[in-house]
Amino acid sequence: MSQHYYSNQPEAGHDRRELTEKLRGQTFRFISDAGVFSKKGVDYGSKVLIEAMDIPNHAEVLDVGCGYGPIGFAAARLAGSGHVTMLDVNSRAVALAKENAKLNGIQNVTILESDLFAAVQGKTFDVVLTNPPIRAGKETVHTIFEQAYAHLKSGGSLWIVIQKKQGAPSAKAKLESLFGQVEEVTKDKGYRIFKATKTSQ
């Protein structure tokens, strides 16, 4: 069985490349590699999420499944007086994200290797962001939603991107069962952006 980008230790041979991407009107440079998600450029779903997400200046943000960094770094620029914690199970992605933080001069981030939320147990955040690993299966995706709820402060929001054909209706139903308040913020080329707000403890 071939490995996926959500493997802990990718075995694919290295294929490093440098990317330049414009996100939220700012230019970022990224080093990507084989064995990580969307190695040839920031994927369309992540871009739709980045353009839609609302990140307050002082927010404490969590990026789950950060890859080589695009969502978390865009959030870090928006939360100039806040902080972004970035998690990924993929050790190669984590190493790239740390390299890319330096490359872009982004200092208000903490990047950790973590199986889902393991590295942030007991911590809560104002915003959780995720482009969930659909190929890991519905159970994993729904676990991310459940753990995101547990790691949000009251009034905090989970922002996700998911394609309609990859289960957006069932994802929205799951979010509604957890959060109650779920808004479809935008849709673009089959991608849906959902914002689920935690209205009580």
Side-chain angles (χ1 to χ4, degrees), residues 40-200:
K40 294 180 180 178
V42 177
D43 67 293
Y44 195 80
S46 290
K47 287 181 176 179
V48 177
L49 175 59
I50 288 165
E51 291 305 316
M53 64 192 189
D54 181 14
I55 311 293
N57 183 49
H58 290 85
E60 290 290 324
V61 181
L62 180 64
D63 176 10
V64 182
C66 66
Y68 51 79
I71 296 172
F73 294 162
R77 289 269 175 89
L78 293 168
S81 300
H83 191 85
V84 181
T85 302
M86 300 166 59
L87 309 178
D88 205 295
V89 70
N90 182 325
S91 60
R92 187 176 293 182
V94 168
L96 288 168
K98 289 178 178 178
E99 184 178 353
N100 288 332
K102 293 178 182 175
L103 188 64
N104 290 279
I106 295 172
Q107 297 181 325
N108 60 329
V109 292
T110 301
I111 302 163
L112 303 168
E113 187 176 318
S114 179
D115 185 4
L116 298 181
F117 293 73
V120 291
Q121 288 305 316
K123 295 183 179 179
T124 56
F125 300 86
D126 300 303
V127 179
V128 177
L129 306 167
T130 188
N131 181 349
I134 300 300
R135 290 184 203 166
K138 183 187 281 190
E139 187 176 333
T140 297
V141 174
H142 286 188
T143 297
I144 290 173
F145 297 169
E146 290 164 2
Q147 292 191 15
Y149 183 87
H151 285 82
L152 276 168
K153 299 174 185 176
S154 182
S157 297
L158 166 66
W159 291 76
I160 77 153
V161 57
I162 191 165
Q163 280 185 282
K164 185 178 181 183
K165 67 181 182 183
Q166 290 180 327
S170 67
K172 188 178 184 190
K174 177 66 175 180
L175 290 169
E176 285 173 342
S177 75
L178 290 165
F179 289 84
Q181 185 177 334
V182 181
E183 176 188 356
E184 183 179 291
V185 176
T186 190
K187 54 186 177 183
D188 187 343
K189 294 186 180 176
Y191 288 93
R192 301 288 192 271
I193 304 298
F194 294 129
K195 176 189 180 184
T197 302
K198 184 172 182 175
T199 52
S200 62

Side-chain angles (χ1 to χ4, degrees), residues 4-71:
H4 291 293
Y5 55 83
Y6 47 84
S7 303
N8 176 237
Q9 300 284 345
E11 293 172 356
H14 288 284
D15 179 24
R16 285 169 61 88
R17 61 185 75 198
E18 183 168 330
L19 315 168
T20 302
E21 299 276 1
K22 196 156 192 175
L23 307 170
R24 288 295 277 257
Q26 298 196 44
T27 301
F28 295 83
R29 291 164 59 208
F30 299 104
I31 305 297
S32 78
D33 201 349
V36 301
F37 177 63
S38 200
K39 67 179 182 182
K40 294 180 180 178
V42 177
D43 67 293
Y44 195 80
S46 290
K47 287 181 176 179
V48 177
L49 175 59
I50 288 165
E51 291 305 316
M53 64 192 189
D54 181 14
I55 311 293
N57 183 49
H58 290 85
E60 290 290 324
V61 181
L62 180 64
D63 176 10
V64 182
C66 66
Y68 51 79
I71 296 172

